[in-house]
Amino acid sequence: MRTSPVRRTLLAASAVTFALLVTGCGGSGDEDKSGEGKGKADATASAAPAGKALTAAELEKAVLAQSDVKDGKVTKVPAAEDVAADKVKAADAACQPLAHLQMSVPAGSPAATVKRAWTSEPQKPAADVSPEDALLAGLDVNKMIVTLASYEDGGAEQVIKDVDAAVGTCAGGFAYDAMGEPFKILEVEKTQASGGDETVAITATLAAEEGVKAPMKLVVARKGATVASFTVTNFASAATGEDFDFPTAVSDAQLGKLA
């Protein structure tokens, strides 16, 4: 018997919600889908040298704020939803940078970090659509975790190198454990990269509930000695397995504050 689309949607969304640590985040405003979402690309934009590492106070000033975006809602990530690095473990050590990126954990040993969440809002479904389509429309929401981390002594450049290397090594998928829960990535693919001094953009396919293959968008970009990482999912895509566009306007707003 074929699984109900409603049940499949809710199960898949539940799995990806945990993976993105956004259970406490609400949203307001229109969803932005103007970014480039797919395609082969080089890993980096350029290789400008890093400067001085930003302090915690400087990162707080530089992190995404509500006034920086036209759509959606920016919130702080609650401490209870901020996973520690030692709580995320990839089965293959070579894939550890991607496991950390999946869970919005800063790589390496940053001097300071800060996080924010951005949530878009779906368009209201038409009155004559089916209940399943109405549910999918309601779940057509982008959830993004923005992580800023500053590094001393070339640490920011090393993060980019490690992520780029992991994409090649772990392209066929990998498994990892987060907070005692197992996760499986079926494949990892580089996508269009833009912004920052060096940038790696990825689509990772997560094995969700009921056999659904849920796409997730991951971008890590270096600006000087600061690394900005963006972990994004779309709940409707998590239910259907269909691709979605990375919200470039939001990442551009964040990277612009690091210029």
Side-chain angles (χ1 to χ4, degrees):
M1 180 177 179
R2 187 171 181 268
T3 303
S4 161
V6 173
R7 171 177 165 75
R8 186 177 64 197
T9 297
L10 293 176
L11 287 171
S14 176
V16 180
T17 298
F18 178 83
L20 281 186
L21 314 175
V22 293
T23 51
C25 300
S28 89
D30 295 328
E31 179 181 356
D32 176 12
K33 289 189 175 181
S34 61
E36 303 227 16
K38 199 170 184 180
K40 304 292 183 181
D42 292 333
T44 60
S46 63
K52 179 182 176 183
L54 298 182
T55 65
E58 288 171 330
L59 285 183
E60 282 289 343
K61 292 180 180 179
V63 74
L64 190 74
Q66 188 64 56
S67 59
D68 300 321
V69 294
K70 295 180 179 179
D71 306 302
K73 186 174 183 179
V74 177
T75 59
K76 290 186 176 182
V77 175
E81 298 174 11
D82 192 357
V83 177
D86 62 0
K87 299 297 183 181
V88 181
K89 181 70 173 179
D92 183 344
C95 304
Q96 188 67 40
L98 297 180
H100 278 156
L101 185 56
Q102 287 272 153
M103 300 303 293
S104 301
V105 174
S109 301
T113 64
V114 66
K115 294 183 181 181
R116 290 295 184 269
W118 173 81
T119 311
S120 70
E121 186 174 310
Q123 302 239 343
K124 186 176 180 180
D128 58 349
V129 300
S130 68
E132 288 82 4
D133 288 340
L135 176 59
L136 285 173
L139 288 174
D140 190 13
V141 172
N142 282 337
K143 300 278 190 174
M144 172 190 279
I145 301 295
V146 179
T147 304
L148 299 185
S150 62
Y151 296 84
E152 302 279 3
D153 302 323
E157 292 97 329
Q158 191 61 50
V159 169
I160 300 297
K161 291 178 183 178
D162 290 346
V163 170
D164 192 39
V167 174
T169 303
C170 310
F174 64 97
Y176 70 97
D177 181 276
M179 301 290 287
E181 294 288 335
F183 291 90
K184 184 177 181 180
I185 301 302
L186 301 174
E187 64 177 343
V188 179
E189 179 187 12
K190 282 186 185 178
T191 58
Q192 291 292 339
S194 63
D197 299 327
E198 298 180 280
T199 306
V200 181
I202 306 161
T203 293
T205 303
L206 173 70
E209 298 282 354
E210 298 292 316
V212 175
K213 299 177 180 180
M216 300 180 70
K217 303 294 184 180
L218 311 170
V219 171
V220 57
R222 179 179 70 83
K223 291 286 289 186
T226 299
V227 173
S229 64
F230 308 90
T231 306
V232 191
T233 194
N234 178 282
F235 284 173
S237 293
T240 64
E242 296 180 1
D243 199 16
F244 67 97
D245 291 334
F246 180 83
T248 305
V250 181
S251 61
D252 283 350
Q254 175 59 88
L255 293 174
K257 296 185 73 173
L258 295 172

